[in-house]
Amino acid sequence: MKDSIYQRHIRVAMVYFAIATLLGILLRFYPIIPFDFNYRYVVHAHSHIALLGWVYVALTTLIHCSFVKKDAASKRYGTIFWATQITLIGMLLTFPFQGYALFSIIFSTLFLIVSYVFFHHFSKHIDPKFGNSNALKCIKAALWYMVTSSFGPWALGVIMATLGAQSIWYRLAIYFYLHFQYNGWMLLALIGLFLFAMERCGTAIPQKSFMRFFWILNAGVVLTFFLSTLWTRPSPGFYVLGGIGALAQCCAFVLLWVLAKKGNLVQQLSIIQYLLLRTVMVLVGIKIILQLLTSLPYFAQMAVIHLDLTIGYLHLTFLGVISMGLFFFMDHFGLFRITKRPFLLYVLGFLITESLIFYKGLAAWQHWVVFNRYTEILAWGSLFIPLGLLIMLARNRAKT
């Protein structure tokens, strides 16, 4: 399979990202301009296209490009890819107009089924040369977390029919899905791709050191789910488990940093790739600090009461750690060029929106006055994000 196919698929993922950010712009301007749409329905479309259109398509493209024997899997991969697009376009055409209803549920359910088919396809067609690869171990674990996360959506139907949407189990099922998507599937897939890049540059991590890192990291992934349950004011044991998970993730990333320093990957990066990697490292550090804080009862309740802090954390993870991590690999593997000026526009929008969202949450906590025209500045600052993405798409399209 030619790399040009993967390049096209990455561009498709970036189109979904641009669409998701434009839907986000609509939501940001909703309090300012009297748009005639259902806010909650557009939120559903925004989140589904961001997670399943942008991140899922980009990650599956990258891992298929990296680990699968192309000649044996080309036709079936193409079929799975386009089946995925049908489900995504179906969600894009239904969620904004009906929210969770018959047709949007059908398309989102079909997406889950097609993702299982991809998992099976990938597992059967891994290139044998990666049999003992540390990177592949992380990718396999990531895909298992992807499957595990889907238990949340399947459980929602049962919970709705028996306990109702007001039950704490309804929210817990959603948080279960989001946690194992963000901190399981997406995070481990990025780490697997990072290790693949290191291995491709000739850096082999000793098996004993890797397995120590691998099990500490996975313990952290599982145990930090308890941080997503703290809004229920559970027994102290849940706080302890969540705190242990946050510490485990912290230790795992310190180990990864120590192991990565011994390699020669950094010496082979371009300026923009080095900038991307350093930015992701800083954002991962901030993410871990926030997780550690929320394992403490005071800060856990603060995040529950002041929703902007939670939204800021989720955007930090998604727009920062995950999306910029994907930018790094897309550029490093030569599938999509990230150029400096549009990337800086994206970063500017990210910094403006994150600063304002966290400021509002802190203002509510400390009883500060939120300055005039906050909503307008947040909305206009958000425009830099899709602007940067659209310029990236235009430049990559011009080069093909």
Side-chain angles (χ1 to χ4, degrees), residues 69-115:
K69 288 185 69 174
K70 312 306 182 290
D71 55 344
S74 302
K75 187 175 180 180
R76 182 165 295 182
Y77 167 70
T79 302
I80 294 170
F81 178 84
W82 290 112
T84 303
Q85 304 320 301
I86 292 170
T87 65
L88 289 166
I89 292 169
M91 284 186 269
L92 183 59
L93 296 177
T94 53
F95 271 115
F97 307 105
Q98 62 174 203
Y100 278 103
L102 176 62
F103 290 107
S104 59
I105 291 173
I106 288 173
F107 283 116
S108 53
T109 302
L110 288 173
F111 176 89
L112 291 178
I113 294 170
V114 175
S115 72

Side-chain angles (χ1 to χ4, degrees), residues 195-336:
L195 293 175
F196 171 79
M198 289 182 61
E199 290 168 1
R200 197 169 69 162
C201 292
T203 302
I205 296 176
Q207 189 67 13
K208 186 176 180 180
S209 299
F210 169 77
M211 292 309 296
R212 184 186 304 117
F213 156 77
F214 183 75
W215 288 116
I216 293 173
L217 177 65
N218 280 278
V221 171
V222 173
L223 292 175
T224 49
F225 169 67
F226 291 100
L227 297 177
S228 299
T229 70
L230 300 183
W231 59 275
T232 63
R233 294 179 182 263
S235 64
F238 284 74
Y239 292 90
V240 173
L241 290 172
I244 293 172
L247 286 171
Q249 278 202 340
C250 182
C251 292
F253 278 103
V254 170
L255 281 173
L256 180 62
W257 182 72
V258 170
L259 294 171
K261 281 183 66 178
K262 297 177 181 178
N264 58 358
L265 173 62
V266 173
Q267 286 74 27
Q268 300 183 30
L269 300 180
S270 67
I271 294 173
I272 190 69
Q273 289 166 12
Y274 181 76
L275 176 62
L276 279 163
L277 186 59
R278 294 288 293 184
T279 303
V280 171
M281 289 169 60
V282 170
L283 294 175
V284 167
I286 296 171
K287 178 183 183 297
I288 289 173
I289 290 169
L290 292 176
Q291 282 187 162
L292 286 168
L293 285 174
T294 53
S295 67
L296 302 173
Y298 178 82
F299 291 103
Q301 288 306 307
M302 189 173 88
V304 171
I305 296 169
H306 306 300
L307 190 59
D308 286 285
L309 297 175
T310 300
I311 294 171
Y313 169 78
L314 290 175
H315 282 184
L316 171 82
T317 303
F318 179 77
L319 292 173
V321 174
I322 294 168
S323 294
M324 293 189 201
L326 286 170
F327 289 168
F328 170 79
F329 293 114
M330 286 155 45
D331 190 271
H332 185 63
F333 296 157
L335 299 179
F336 190 96

Side-chain angles (χ1 to χ4, degrees), residues 13-27:
M14 282 292 285
V15 168
Y16 283 125
F17 194 13
I19 292 171
T21 58
L22 290 171
L23 289 172
I25 295 297
L26 274 180
L27 296 170

